[in-house]
Amino acid sequence: QTCALPIWPISAPERAWRWCKRNPRVAALLATVAGLLVTVAVGSSVAAMVILAERDAKEGQRKAAVKAQGLAEAHEAIAKENEKVAGEQSALALGALQTFVDTVQERLDDAPRTRKLKEELLDMTIDTLDRVSTKAEQTTSIDATILNANFKYADMYRSFGEMEKAIERFGKCLELAEADAASKLSAGADNDRSQLNVAAVEAMLGELVATQRHDPRAGLARCNHALEVAERLSAKPRSVEGEISAEELSALLDEVRMKIAFINYAQGDPAASAPFFRLALEARRAAVAADPADPGAKVELARSLKGVGETAFLLGDRKEGLRLYEESLSILNELLTDFRGNVQLEALLAITEGDYADLHLRERSFDLARPHYDEAIEILRSEEHTSELQSRQYLVCRLLLEKK
């Protein structure tokens, strides 16, 4: 007797397994392909997640950088605005100081009673000038204003006869001018104007050091350096509009040459001073010929004539020396007919009269010398000119004239 065996259905996994056993190579290949597909799928998903994370991180960094840049630009704009405001405020303060000083100088007359008041007002405001200048040094937009203010104070001290204060203030001017020139040079900018300021201030300082501190060697060194700078600038071609003009350079050269000439003359060396006097005289004759109505040019011409005449007399050409002095006196007297009461002009006339009288005295021409001495003394004794004649050189001149 037979019995039927149960038949179980074969499942799909078992059927697949049996197929693999029958076809191992094909099964291995399919398994490999499937594994690669799984690996690629998983790897792509992971890579996509990493790339997305990096992209989000970079985007966050970019936004942070943009925000930081915006903040930096905002802070820079605020800083520039603050600097601009500070510069404007400092410029206004400096302008107010200069206006105040100019007003004091113009409104208070030249009587002796007001001279002390003007000096006190000047001393009161000089500290304010230094404080404002210190704050303003953080900006370069008003360097010229600072330099101009210091120069004006220095020149006023010189006019009051406060020579040590004038030298100190001119020294400050020189520091400012040299710093400005160095700054522009390092920035690659044109610094001709700054060099011109250096030469002008150094020449003024050199004259005061030589005459007031009695150090002609140091004074001449400063003036010679100023002359080198001026000559170098003068030799440079001028083509850009707004640069320093030939007239400015010519005026500076003439003034520096006159200072060198006077220092050499004061040292008892007329031969060394004569060439500088003559160069200045030629230039100033040309200036007057170009503009005969310019009184300032005529004053400078008179000064040059006086210098050349003095050296010519001392070097043996006495006739020429007297003739040049007479021409100088003629110019000054002509100017006084148009500018009667001008203190500086009358002081220059008095000194020229006295020096001209000295030449006649050396010639033993007492009768010719006396009228000129009398004229000089009359001007120097005038009460209304006392405040302008307080510097040491004018006082010495006055005492010598009165003694003679």
Side-chain angles (χ1 to χ4, degrees):
Q1 185 180 358
T2 60
C3 58
L5 294 173
I7 299 174
W8 301 97
I10 299 173
S11 63
E14 186 177 356
R15 188 178 288 111
W17 174 251
R18 288 180 180 181
W19 182 88
C20 290
K21 290 176 70 176
R22 290 194 302 268
N23 303 282
R25 292 183 179 181
V26 176
L29 181 60
L30 291 174
T32 301
V33 171
L36 287 174
L37 289 174
V38 171
T39 301
V40 169
V42 173
S44 298
S45 300
V46 172
M49 293 175 64
V50 171
I51 291 171
L52 183 61
E54 290 180 351
R55 187 193 67 182
D56 292 341
K58 289 181 178 179
E59 181 66 16
Q61 292 175 355
R62 186 189 67 79
K63 289 181 178 179
V66 170
K67 183 178 180 180
Q69 183 180 0
L71 289 173
E73 290 176 352
H75 287 306
E76 183 180 359
I78 293 172
K80 287 183 177 179
E81 183 63 25
N82 289 338
E83 181 182 355
K84 180 181 177 182
V85 171
E88 290 174 351
Q89 290 176 344
S90 298
L92 287 172
L94 288 169
L97 280 173
Q98 291 189 74
T99 301
F100 172 77
V101 172
D102 290 341
T103 302
V104 168
Q105 187 74 349
E106 292 173 4
R107 295 293 179 86
L108 295 180
D109 57 30
D110 294 319
R113 65 181 181 278
T114 65
R115 180 176 179 271
K116 184 65 177 176
L117 175 60
K118 288 196 285 188
E119 288 185 30
E120 290 175 355
L121 290 172
L122 198 63
D123 290 336
M124 286 170 58
T125 58
I126 198 73
D127 291 335
T128 305
L129 171 64
D130 288 335
R131 288 197 298 271
V132 172
S133 298
T134 300
K135 291 183 179 180
E137 284 174 359
Q138 299 173 358
T139 176
T140 59
S141 60
I142 56 173
D143 286 342
T145 306
I146 298 172
L147 178 60
N148 184 58
N150 278 277
F151 192 91
K152 187 166 292 187
Y153 272 79
D155 196 48
M156 288 184 66
Y157 274 130
R158 184 178 63 85
S159 70
F160 292 155
E162 296 286 347
M163 296 305 178
E164 282 304 316
K165 290 182 179 179
I167 291 173
E168 179 184 354
R169 192 51 46 176
F170 277 125
K172 176 67 174 177
C173 291
L174 185 59
E175 291 176 7
L176 291 169
E178 288 178 336
D180 183 48
S183 174
K184 289 180 178 176
L185 182 63
S186 63
D190 179 79
N191 70 342
D192 286 0
R193 173 67 60 183
S194 301
Q195 291 187 59
L196 184 77
N197 291 335
V198 169
V201 175
E202 190 157 30
M204 184 68 74
L205 192 57
E207 180 186 34
L208 291 177
V209 168
T211 58
Q212 304 304 319
R213 287 187 174 172
H214 309 291
D215 190 350
R217 180 175 296 179
L220 274 175
R222 288 190 176 278
C223 288
N224 284 325
H225 180 256
L227 182 62
E228 290 175 8
V229 173
E231 288 177 339
R232 184 169 64 249
L233 290 173
S234 181
K236 187 175 180 180
R238 301 282 150 200
S239 58
V240 180
E241 186 177 355
E243 290 183 338
I244 50 181
S245 65
E247 290 75 15
E248 288 179 283
L249 285 169
S250 178
L252 176 62
L253 280 169
D254 296 342
E255 189 61 30
V256 175
R257 286 165 179 160
M258 286 291 289
K259 293 183 189 305
I260 293 174
F262 277 121
I263 294 173
N264 281 317
Y265 175 77
Q267 286 297 106
D269 192 354
S273 65
F276 293 100
F277 275 133
R278 290 199 175 277
L279 282 172
L281 177 59
E282 291 173 7
R284 287 171 176 177
R285 282 196 188 280
V288 171
D291 187 3
D294 183 2
K298 290 183 177 180
V299 169
E300 296 305 322
L301 175 58
R303 289 178 60 216
S304 294
L305 287 166
K306 178 178 179 295
V308 176
E310 184 74 22
T311 54
F313 188 92
L314 292 176
L315 293 174
D317 193 348
R318 301 192 172 189
K319 184 177 180 180
E320 176 67 6
L322 290 171
R323 185 191 68 78
L324 291 170
Y325 254 99
E326 289 165 3
E327 186 179 353
S328 177
L329 287 170
S330 174
I331 292 172
L332 292 174
N333 280 299
E334 180 184 346
L335 284 170
L336 277 173
T337 60
D338 298 324
F339 300 95
R340 188 164 301 280
N342 184 286
V343 175
Q344 291 86 355
L345 193 56
E346 291 188 350
L348 178 59
L349 175 61
I351 294 172
T352 306
E353 291 275 12
D355 290 343
Y356 180 59
D358 282 345
L359 300 188
H360 283 299
L361 195 62
R362 293 172 196 170
E363 291 281 276
R364 314 298 292 176
S365 301
F366 300 107
D367 292 339
L368 294 175
R370 181 60 183 268
H372 296 284
Y373 280 134
D374 290 341
E375 181 67 23
I377 293 172
E378 186 64 27
I379 296 173
L380 291 175
R381 280 179 173 165
S382 178
E383 182 69 17
E384 62 194 23
H385 300 137
T386 304
S387 64
E388 293 295 336
L389 302 174
Q390 291 299 314
S391 70
R392 192 170 303 156
Q393 59 182 346
Y394 286 152
L395 287 174
V396 170
C397 178
R398 178 172 180 171
L399 290 173
L400 287 174
L401 290 173
E402 289 183 345
K403 182 178 179 180
K404 290 172 183 175

